[in-house]
Structures are given as structure tokens and as C-alpha cells.
Amino acid sequence: MQRLLLAGVSVAFAVAAGVGPADAADKKVLAFVVNGASDFWKIAEAGMKKAQGELPNYELQFKYPEQAAAAVQQRVMDDLVAAGAAGVMVSAVDPKNQTEHLNKVASQTVLFTTDSDAPKSKRVAYIGSSNTDLGKEAGKLMVKALPNGGKCVGFVGLPGADNARERIEGVKETLKGSKVELVDVRGDEIDQTRAKRNVEDILAAMPDVSCLVGFYSYNTPRIYEVLKEAGKLGKIKIIGFDEDPITLGGVKEGSIVGTVVQQPFEWGYQGMKLMANYIGGNKAGIPANGIIIVPGKVIEKANVDEFMASMKQMLKK
């Protein structure tokens, strides 16, 4: 299937300074609705802030649901639609079970998905990673870290979300034929306390575990914290996803093998611009299959300093 490749705080971004209330009222609203509270989304928010500077006729808003629950997220989208939002981009909490509601939103405004697709919905397009490909890269890191094989356990926020399921499938596909096994994956519903407790439970139940995998951005920091408290940093391999500062610090010091990162800045930047163009009648940026892939990157000790510097620049914008 052909895919278009793009290189690569819970606040509403205000309109540019000097714009009066009357002018602001005339602006169309584009909203980015995330799946739960996580520092990961600050990077997408920075991308959207850059897009705001290039879209003077729109007001861009970034929305965090109070909790990572489909019903809460749906209420956020309903409120946006009721207020007349011209477009909504969403990382669906539970795409499979939210399809009917997403279709309702799509019937009243322009709907894009990001991060975790809802391919059976009537969304216009998905912009984000190929989570299967990200999983495959993580699988390669696991095999590299465990040349003699071993048992691994994964941790994730929303096991039912497409981004989680596809990452896990990608890992398992890469591990086929190797001596490395992914024997379990524990979900936490984006609950930080539960995420940490899941790691503690595995350490107690599986003294022979060889590696731990954090599938969501905050999972790897929780793994790092638990292993540090237990005096097991460096004894159990850690594989991560995304670019949490604790994760990057662990990669830099060598206690984390590596992390597979996405480019959420581009989701916020390119996604908002594509949505605005689509609403304005320019549909050239939307491929026939509606899938726009922003490639990920593998960050290891050799390239972590360069990546951290580039991230610092992005967050300044």
C-alpha cells in the first residue's frame, strides 16, 4: 500500500498579539485532542504552536481529557463540535469501540486521527507513525541487547489502542526465530502509580526476567525508577519508546539500551496545516489511502546527544 512520507499543558494557543475579540471570533477553530496527560504531548503542542504562526485565520487549541477514558475524550470532542470547531485531530483512546462516536464527529466537522489510528472510522486522514514499524525497531534492539536470548515483559498504557497493539505485534514479528521472548504485556490505563506498580510486580514474580520494555512514553521512566530503587539498573535490559527526559538520560548513561522515538512535533505542525488546507479546499496533501506516515528514529548512546539538542531547539519554538 502506498504511503505518503513526511520527513521529519493543557492550554489553547491564543491568537497573535494585537488581535481583538471581534477578529478572534471570526477565526475557525482547529483542535488537537490527546488520549491522556503525558509530557510526550508537549512536543506535539510545540509543533502546533509553530503552525499557529502560519495559520492566522485559525485559532488552534490543544485539549487534554481529564482522564484517559473514551467517554471523557468523547465529551471533549462533543463540546468542540457544539462550539463549531472546523476540525478535530484526535489520538483515540479506544479506536475500535469509539468508531461510532468518531463517525458522529466526522459527520459534523473535519476529523483527522493521529498517534493511534481509527481506520474503520470516517476520518479524512491519519498522520503519525507506523506503529508496527516502531515495534520492529524495538524488537531489533531487544535481540541486539540479548544475543543469548531471554524473557522480556512489556508495559503499556492502553492495550486496546491501535498504537499499543501494533507496536507489540511489530516486536513479536521481529522476535520470531530468535531466542528472545516477549512473555507478557501489562496495561495501566495511563495511571502512573499503576504503571510503576506493574513493574514492581513483575520483578517480584519473575526473578529471571531479562529485559523490560516501555511501550508508552512514561512506561520507560517508571521501569528506570523501579530498577534503580531495586539496585538492578544495568542488570536487566531496558528498551523504550519515545523521548521522555528520564529515558534519554538513561540512554546517555548506558542504563537504557535505546529508545524508538516518533516525531510528534510534525504531527502538530504538519497535521494542523494539512487540516487547514483541506478545509480551505486544497486536498493535495491527502493521499488516496488517507495514511500519512512520519518516520520514527532509533536513539542509542551514539546519537542521543545530537537528538537531545534537536529536541531542545524544537521546544523553544
Side-chain angles (χ1 to χ4, degrees):
M1 182 182 288
Q2 185 179 3
R3 301 183 299 188
L4 178 63
L5 295 178
L6 294 176
V9 179
S10 178
V11 295
F13 285 112
V15 293
V19 176
D23 294 323
D26 293 335
K27 295 178 182 289
K28 294 179 179 178
V29 170
L30 302 181
F32 194 128
V33 182
V34 304
N35 57 7
S38 170
D39 286 347
F40 169 79
W41 290 114
K42 290 180 181 178
I43 306 168
E45 200 169 351
M48 197 175 80
K49 186 175 182 180
K50 180 182 177 183
Q52 177 70 88
E54 299 176 21
L55 297 171
N57 297 324
Y58 290 88
E59 178 186 348
L60 308 187
Q61 299 181 1
F62 209 86
K63 298 288 186 178
Y64 287 89
E66 307 95 81
Q67 64 185 97
V72 177
Q73 187 181 61
Q74 287 168 192
R75 188 177 70 245
V76 172
M77 288 190 284
D78 286 343
D79 289 347
L80 286 164
V81 170
V88 173
M89 177 179 291
V90 63
S91 171
V93 170
D94 185 358
K96 183 178 179 181
N97 293 314
Q98 284 180 267
T99 298
E100 183 178 346
H101 185 267
L102 290 170
N103 286 342
K104 179 184 174 185
V105 173
S107 71
Q108 299 173 80
T109 190
V110 170
L111 179 68
F112 277 49
T113 55
T114 188
D115 183 41
S116 185
D117 195 11
K120 294 184 179 179
S121 72
K122 295 179 181 178
R123 55 98 170 112
V124 172
Y126 164 77
I127 178 169
S129 304
S130 164
N131 284 289
T132 302
D133 289 349
L134 296 180
K136 289 178 180 178
E137 293 298 336
K140 291 176 186 176
L141 286 174
M142 294 161 72
V143 172
K144 180 180 176 181
L146 297 168
N148 298 318
K151 295 179 181 179
C152 301
V153 175
F155 304 90
V156 72
L158 302 167
D162 280 7
N163 59 356
R165 179 181 54 77
E166 290 170 3
R167 290 179 190 187
I168 294 164
E169 288 175 357
V171 165
K172 288 181 176 178
E173 187 173 334
T174 300
L175 297 185
K176 285 179 182 176
S178 77
K179 295 179 181 179
V180 181
E181 298 178 85
L182 182 65
V183 297
D184 193 9
V185 178
R186 300 286 178 95
D188 55 59
E189 303 302 320
I190 313 187
D191 180 327
Q192 301 285 329
T193 301
R194 185 175 167 189
K196 187 173 181 181
R197 188 170 63 246
N198 282 347
V199 182
E200 292 168 341
D201 290 347
I202 286 297
L203 285 191
M206 292 183 60
D208 62 338
V209 69
S210 299
C211 85
L212 303 176
V213 184
F215 281 100
Y216 273 12
S217 61
Y218 62 86
N219 287 121
T220 308
R222 301 297 81 76
I223 293 169
Y224 179 92
E225 290 167 1
V226 172
L227 292 188
K228 185 174 182 179
E229 290 167 5
K232 294 186 177 181
L233 274 181
K235 298 176 183 177
I236 296 175
K237 305 296 184 182
I238 305 174
I239 312 296
F241 280 82
D242 302 318
E243 53 278 83
D244 186 278
I246 293 175
T247 300
L248 294 176
V251 173
K252 184 178 175 68
E253 73 183 21
S255 56
I256 295 176
V257 173
T259 185
V260 184
V261 304
Q262 306 178 81
Q263 296 194 64
F265 183 93
E266 296 299 331
W267 307 349
Y269 176 63
Q270 301 284 1
M272 291 294 111
K273 293 188 70 177
L274 283 167
M275 192 181 296
N277 286 341
Y278 185 88
I279 291 168
N282 179 2
K283 302 178 181 180
I286 309 298
N289 65 3
I291 299 175
I292 303 162
I293 297 299
V294 182
K297 298 177 181 178
V298 177
I299 306 302
E300 298 176 86
K301 193 168 185 177
N303 63 345
V304 68
D305 286 334
E306 179 185 356
F307 178 74
M308 289 172 75
S310 68
M311 237 185 80
K312 188 175 180 181
Q313 283 301 116
M314 281 190 292
L315 290 171
K316 278 183 178 179
K317 294 179 181 179

